Amino acid sequence: MSSEPFDVAIKDESIRLGQFLKLANLVESGAEAKPVIAAGEVSVNGEVETRRGRQLVKGDVVTLGPQAARVSDESTSDDLPW
């Protein structure tokens, strides 16, 4: 069972999946994003996504393991603990 997604603000209209995983601290680095995406461990809005360059827009929910992060805009306060 995955946890409630936390909001991660992006500056632009969209962001690539690999970049978002790093921004949301779901992976340590862009290099780490590639194998987990390729292995089918990442889902976007409940669908497995294997394209690192997939464009995400506000409202998309990315899940990796038990963690989920929602793409939001900068006006939304995030729920991050830091």
Side-chain angles (χ1 to χ4, degrees), residues 69-80:
R70 182 186 306 108
V71 182
S72 66
D73 62 28
E74 288 187 297
S75 63
T76 311
S77 66
D78 62 39
D79 301 327
L80 297 176

Side-chain angles (χ1 to χ4, degrees), residues 36-53:
V36 296
I37 294 169
E41 295 176 29
V42 177
S43 65
V44 178
N45 301 328
E47 305 264 322
V48 172
E49 179 57 71
T50 57
R51 298 171 297 160
R52 189 172 48 154

